[in-house]
Amino acid sequence: MRVFIAISIVAASVSSASAQFAMDHGHAADAAQAARAARAAADAKAAAIASGAPLLPSQQTNFYVGNRGTLKIAPRTAEELKADEAAAQAAWKERCRPTVVEDREGLRRVKYAERDCDLSRFNTAGN
């Protein structure tokens, strides 16, 4: 019912705005026809929704994945999260290949094979 009310309000506001514009420019008959067509389209969609009939392609606004209107999102287990974190760490080590070197002042520093490996995904300074 709320959908029908929302569609009616939107259709009425669009229809009245376009009708006002057209009447201001000498197209009162065109504006009235456009308003009737918009109202008829809104009524047809509301009737199809109310009766459970399939909507026309121009009336459909739902998003479907695999012919299903709803998606079930299963919560991830702690083991899955841990496995994903381990895979991400392994991919990072493979790409960046960190090595520890000692500089001339005796400080240990980490060098990376790729640029920006020392930055987190949130710290993007210098990019």
Side-chain angles (χ1 to χ4, degrees):
M1 185 64 180
R2 291 180 187 169
V3 173
F4 176 72
I5 292 171
I7 290 171
S8 298
I9 291 171
V10 170
S13 64
V14 169
S15 298
S16 65
S18 62
Q20 182 63 39
F21 176 79
M23 281 191 265
D24 290 344
H25 291 83
H27 298 284
D30 296 339
Q33 175 62 27
R36 282 192 298 274
R39 183 67 184 166
D43 289 343
K45 182 174 182 178
I49 291 171
S51 68
L55 298 176
L56 298 173
S58 62
Q59 296 172 331
Q60 291 182 358
T61 57
N62 293 335
F63 178 73
Y64 291 97
V65 174
N67 294 329
R68 297 190 63 181
T70 58
L71 298 175
K72 184 176 181 181
I73 300 174
R76 299 179 53 99
T77 64
E79 293 83 20
E80 290 173 332
L81 293 173
K82 191 173 182 180
D84 286 347
E85 181 67 27
Q89 285 290 333
W92 178 84
K93 284 183 181 181
E94 177 68 28
R95 183 176 70 87
C96 295
R97 298 187 301 278
T99 55
V100 178
V101 295
E102 192 170 311
D103 66 5
R104 65 179 178 203
E105 295 149 2
L107 294 174
R108 295 177 55 151
R109 300 187 185 272
V110 180
K111 297 279 186 173
Y112 301 100
E114 294 288 328
R115 181 175 175 262
D116 294 336
C117 284
D118 57 336
L119 300 176
S120 72
R121 65 180 131 182
F122 304 109
N123 179 10
T124 57
N127 286 341

